[in-house]
Amino acid sequence: MEALKDTLSQCEKLRTPNYLGLVVSIVILLGILVSYLPQHYRIISRGTSEGISPYFVLLGTTSATAGFGNILTVKGSREAISCCKELDTFECAAGLLGVAQLGAQWVCFALILVLFLIFFRYKDANVPSDELRATSPRWQTAVIVGLLCVLHGLIVVIITGVFFIALPSHLTFWANFLGIMAAVLAAIQYIPQIWTTYHLKHVGSLSIPMMCIQTPGGLLFAASLFGRLGWAGWSTWGIYILTAIMQGVVLFMGVYYEFAARREEQEQRHLDQQAANEQSAGPRRPTANRTYSEGWERGLPGPFTGHPELYVETEEDLDAIQEREERAIARENQPLLKPGGIGNPKKNYHSTHD
């Protein structure tokens, strides 16, 4: 009897929906759908799932499956579903927006799984090979990930059906179990992805725009679910708080590595430009001695400089240097050595004594 009163009370609430909350829920639903589009597009455009950990895909898909099962079996959702018999279409749809949100998230992440299985081979990628810093997973790994996700989904569906049919009084226990399972999987979901991103030092096919939308959106989504389910739905909205925090860590790492890569590219481009400029400029003549001499104002070297051809740019400058040297020689009137040659002529250099 008490349960019937609670259901009727819930139905009355659904007849007068909170339009502000309704708008927020619709925005979140659209945001979930839009937020995954950059990830889907990035994998397809690059033609590879490089940079995305297969274990991240496995844990994320199973977590989304458990979360979807949780929202279907939690008390508030069951009451909203049962009230749809007495409500019109708009009121029923408004009451089931929470289910639609988690259902949309499950579909979007399941599509990531499908794209991962299609593009797990890196040799067919649409990006240069030097951008692929990881080795593609073995086909056995991809098959195991796909099979485990399908098997997990089937088990959740079968057990949920058993509880609905044979053990309806224990559905709250099963809902909380699914919520805890989803939370645990979500908690460890990003650990292999964090390790992969740290190991590769780049995001690869992981979409930064998706994470930029989902990290704050996850907190907003959790707040929306809290407003709909209250503290009794902790196993549902707690998942998304934890997921948003872990995803924020991956986002920070991805942004850091992207900025570091762009800075390195700019520095390398600057060095290449400098090398190209130096090569195009050709050999540079040495700097001439700046002590005063004839031709100083024209940048010519001082007298008797070796290899004067290295210091000139025209034949006229070289002729000027040669003429200057000849004039200097002609003006020389003092011999370098005094008569008698080098040394003392009175000294016997063959003797060991003076």
Side-chain angles (χ1 to χ4, degrees):
M1 190 68 180
E2 189 69 25
L4 180 60
K5 289 182 179 180
D6 292 341
T7 302
L8 293 176
S9 176
Q10 179 68 17
C11 294
E12 289 300 322
K13 291 181 181 179
L14 294 177
R15 291 183 188 279
T16 56
N18 182 347
Y19 288 99
L20 177 60
L22 179 63
V23 171
V24 172
S25 297
I26 294 175
V27 170
I28 291 175
L29 176 60
L30 296 177
I32 291 173
L33 296 173
V34 172
S35 68
Y36 278 97
L37 292 179
Q39 181 61 78
H40 299 156
Y41 172 77
R42 185 166 177 83
I43 296 176
I44 295 173
S45 63
R46 297 182 87 236
T48 175
S49 59
E50 183 260 348
I52 300 178
S53 170
Y55 306 106
F56 165 75
V57 176
L58 171 63
L59 296 171
T61 304
T62 52
S63 176
T65 302
F68 188 34
N70 168 269
I71 194 65
L72 287 173
T73 54
V74 77
K75 181 180 178 181
S77 297
R78 297 200 312 268
E79 292 176 349
I81 293 173
S82 63
C83 288
C84 283
K85 301 175 183 178
E86 304 175 9
L87 303 175
D88 58 29
T89 303
F90 173 77
E91 294 169 347
C92 178
L96 295 179
L97 275 176
V99 177
Q101 290 167 350
L102 270 72
Q105 187 168 36
W106 177 81
V107 171
C108 291
F109 211 101
L111 184 55
I112 293 179
L113 169 65
V114 173
L115 293 176
F116 168 78
L117 296 176
I118 295 174
F119 297 105
F120 77 93
R121 296 186 184 276
Y122 299 169
K123 64 180 182 180
D124 300 326
N126 298 328
V127 295
S129 58
D130 57 348
E131 292 187 17
L132 302 176
R133 304 183 187 179
T135 56
S136 59
R138 297 179 301 171
W139 67 267
Q140 294 93 335
T141 302
V143 170
I144 290 174
V145 167
L147 289 178
L148 287 177
C149 290
V150 173
L151 181 62
H152 176 265
L154 289 176
I155 292 174
V156 169
V157 170
I158 292 172
I159 296 179
T160 301
V162 170
F163 271 95
F164 262 109
I165 296 172
L167 301 169
S169 60
H170 294 82
L171 271 172
T172 300
F173 164 78
W174 176 241
N176 290 334
F177 177 80
L178 287 176
I180 294 173
M181 179 193 299
V184 171
L185 293 173
I188 61 177
Q189 166 189 356
Y190 284 92
I191 294 177
Q193 186 57 56
I194 290 173
W195 185 90
T196 299
T197 304
Y198 173 78
H199 178 70
L200 298 180
K201 299 294 187 294
H202 83 144
V203 294
S205 294
L206 195 63
S207 174
I208 289 181
M210 178 196 71
M211 293 187 289
C212 288
I213 298 173
Q214 289 187 355
T215 299
L219 299 176
L220 181 62
F221 188 21
S224 173
L225 291 175
F226 175 77
R228 185 180 300 274
L229 303 175
W231 289 104
W234 62 269
S235 61
T236 301
W237 49 260
I239 304 170
Y240 298 96
I241 294 179
L242 183 60
T243 302
I245 294 173
M246 299 293 286
Q247 193 173 50
V249 175
V250 180
L251 174 61
F252 175 80
M253 294 175 62
V255 171
Y256 173 79
Y257 289 135
E258 285 298 305
F259 273 108
R262 292 185 181 182
R263 184 168 59 250
E264 184 178 349
E265 289 178 2
Q266 291 177 354
E267 292 176 355
Q268 185 61 42
R269 193 180 301 114
H270 179 68
L271 293 175
D272 293 342
Q273 185 64 34
Q274 281 186 334
N277 293 339
E278 292 177 359
Q279 185 175 5
S280 62
R284 300 174 61 185
R285 70 174 186 173
T287 303
N289 190 349
R290 305 313 296 172
T291 56
Y292 179 77
S293 62
E294 183 181 346
W296 174 85
E297 68 281 355
R298 295 161 57 187
L300 299 181
F304 305 108
T305 300
H307 301 287
E309 67 276 3
L310 298 178
Y311 297 87
V312 299
E313 296 180 351
T314 64
E315 291 291 336
E316 295 179 357
D317 291 340
L318 183 59
D319 293 340
I321 292 176
Q322 291 176 346
E323 292 176 0
R324 185 188 65 188
E325 304 297 328
E326 291 174 356
R327 290 196 300 271
I329 293 173
R331 290 195 300 268
E332 183 65 45
N333 54 15
Q334 181 177 356
L336 296 177
L337 299 176
K338 293 181 179 180
I342 299 175
N344 186 354
K346 298 181 180 181
K347 183 177 180 179
N348 183 8
Y349 291 96
H350 297 284
S351 173
T352 57
H353 302 283
D354 292 337

